[in-house]
Amino acid sequence: MYLLDKSETMKTYPFKMLFAAALVYTGLAWGADNAELRMNQFQVIGTHNSYHVKPENQDYSGNELAPFNYSHAPLEVQLDRGVRSLELDIYPNPHGTRVMHVPAIDDGTTCSLFTECLATVKEWSDKHPRHVPIIVLVEPKNDEIPFLKIKMGNYNAAAVDRLDQEIRSVFCPDQLITPDLVRGGSPTLAQAIQEKGWPLLEWARGKVMLVFHTRDALADLYTQERPSLEGRAMFLESQPGKPYAAFFIRNNPYDKSIPELVKQGYMVRTRADSGLHEGVINATETYEMALHCGAHIISTDYPEGEAHPQTGYKVVLPNNVPARCNPVNATSQDPAICLEAPPKSLAGLP
């Protein structure tokens, strides 16, 4: 059943009803009985390097810059088009964490500061309080360019703590899904996932969840004296057996561990394409496997509105909805049930 948001009025309600009727007519069932669904029982599309703007005046034919030959729309436009997961590459800076791909060589971005990017997400979320949770992957970089004598800052305890501070400077506590909220009273985050599961999807609507996309030394730094991410603002790219295990990165959708991890209650990100290769030759096999493997996030360089100009390759969910029931762990629900109303452009409404 469609729920009338507090921000809506009777003036706009008839248009919503017309929209819902259009969905039923086209075979979609948004707002069907999914009140018991957990927030790990959906599937959405995400973008790779969501901030990226390609370098200008470059010859991309057959050189090492060829994988950089793409630009994404601003974050709010991607969200308008149905993207529900974003990826930000960050560099430490005492005056504010920076967002870019490679300094000097591939540094074009739609939002240069981490807080600027997050503020864009928050503003969009505030205007769309019924969205499924937006998951933001935060990937730390510290690439050095020796021949340009460019040296970025290093990550230390202060830089890592600053990330959490910057996140909380943008989002209110009730807008963030944090490890503490999911862990509750369980001894570890992993145990909470295994025994209690994730919160209900209905509770998670309108919220944002961040994942620190890193392992090894930096992961050790982020979990120092916080084995289950106690007090942290972000989840962490997981490794089996770790007390903070909750979210896994498995970029190859053919990885047989994906459906098993999903069945165990963990969340997973995979990719439909990489290095622009699939878009150039319009190869959809990896994309199709990503849809079926059960990964919660399917990341792409070719979301809605950014199809390959020659081949038309793009990555969307069936019926171009923003979110659908997960095909592996929400089997009691029809995958055609869409968990969020499609973009207005799909229904042709103003």
Side-chain angles (χ1 to χ4, degrees):
M1 181 176 69
Y2 179 80
L3 299 177
L4 188 65
D5 292 334
K6 292 181 180 179
S7 61
E8 294 176 329
T9 65
M10 293 307 297
K11 182 177 180 180
T12 61
Y13 183 68
F15 292 100
K16 296 288 187 177
M17 291 295 96
L18 179 60
F19 193 14
L23 296 179
V24 173
Y25 178 77
T26 57
L28 300 175
W30 180 56
D33 185 14
N34 52 53
E36 298 305 314
L37 280 179
R38 300 278 176 166
M39 62 167 282
N40 66 318
Q41 291 183 291
F42 66 62
Q43 187 175 64
V44 298
I45 299 299
T47 48
H48 165 246
N49 293 349
S50 308
Y51 57 88
H52 191 263
V53 177
K54 67 182 180 181
E56 297 181 358
N57 304 317
Q58 292 284 355
D59 178 10
Y60 295 101
S61 57
N63 63 40
E64 61 183 13
L65 293 181
F68 303 164
N69 187 20
Y70 67 98
S71 291
H72 284 310
L75 302 184
E76 69 274 18
V77 176
Q78 295 181 50
L79 293 167
D80 278 341
R81 293 170 174 171
V83 167
R84 291 296 177 267
S85 179
L86 304 167
E87 182 182 61
L88 304 175
D89 291 336
I90 59 169
Y91 287 82
N93 188 299
H95 303 293
T97 302
R98 300 297 197 254
V99 174
M100 71 183 91
H101 192 214
V102 182
I105 294 175
D106 187 31
D107 57 1
T109 176
T110 58
C111 47
S112 59
L113 287 174
F114 184 45
T115 51
E116 179 188 359
C117 299
L118 296 183
T120 298
V121 175
K122 181 187 186 303
E123 182 178 358
W124 188 93
S125 176
D126 289 344
K127 295 177 181 177
H128 304 82
R130 293 289 299 161
H131 66 75
V132 298
I134 298 169
I135 301 177
V136 182
L137 275 66
V138 180
E139 184 170 3
K141 304 271 191 175
N142 61 352
D143 297 328
E144 298 181 8
I145 315 297
F147 63 89
L148 293 178
K149 297 183 179 180
I150 294 177
K151 181 177 176 63
M152 304 302 291
N154 293 319
Y155 284 99
N156 52 29
V160 167
D161 289 342
R162 191 180 303 117
L163 288 176
D164 280 0
Q165 293 165 8
E166 290 180 328
I167 292 166
R168 291 191 164 109
S169 75
V170 174
F171 295 104
C172 299
D174 62 356
Q175 293 177 303
L176 283 177
I177 300 171
T178 63
D180 283 345
L181 285 173
V182 175
R183 181 173 57 85
S186 298
T188 70
L189 180 57
Q191 190 171 337
I193 296 296
Q194 295 291 304
E195 296 179 357
K196 297 189 302 183
W198 292 84
L200 292 174
L201 175 62
E202 188 63 25
W203 172 87
R205 288 187 183 278
K207 293 180 171 61
V208 176
M209 169 177 160
L210 292 97
V211 179
F212 204 17
H213 184 0
T214 188
R215 301 177 69 172
D216 303 324
L218 199 48
D220 292 340
L221 189 61
Y222 199 65
T223 56
Q224 187 174 4
E225 300 182 0
R226 305 168 188 256
S228 283
L229 301 169
E230 291 88 346
R232 288 299 190 188
M234 295 186 283
F235 291 79
L236 183 63
E237 177 183 350
S238 299
Q239 302 177 54
K242 294 292 187 180
Y244 57 79
F247 190 100
F248 286 78
I249 307 291
R250 293 289 185 269
N251 286 328
N252 180 0
Y254 290 93
D255 188 327
K256 293 182 180 179
S257 71
I258 293 177
E260 293 307 313
L261 289 169
V262 173
K263 290 175 184 177
Q264 292 171 32
Y266 299 114
M267 298 189 76
V268 181
R269 192 287 292 265
T270 195
R271 292 185 64 173
D273 43 72
S274 178
L276 307 184
H277 171 73
E278 287 82 0
V280 171
I281 64 174
N282 197 23
T284 62
E285 294 85 358
T286 304
Y287 160 35
E288 291 166 0
M289 186 63 193
L291 286 172
H292 290 95
C293 72
H296 303 85
I297 299 170
I298 301 171
S299 184
T300 181
D301 289 320
Y302 299 97
E304 174 62 37
E306 299 176 28
H308 190 281
Q310 280 76 50
T311 67
Y313 174 91
K314 70 176 180 179
V315 172
V316 296
L317 293 178
N319 298 310
N320 203 7
V321 298
R324 69 168 185 165
C325 291
N326 190 289
V328 168
N329 70 356
T331 53
S332 63
Q333 298 282 352
D334 183 348
I337 293 176
C338 95
L339 301 178
E340 185 184 330
K344 290 181 180 180
S345 58
L346 182 64
L349 294 178

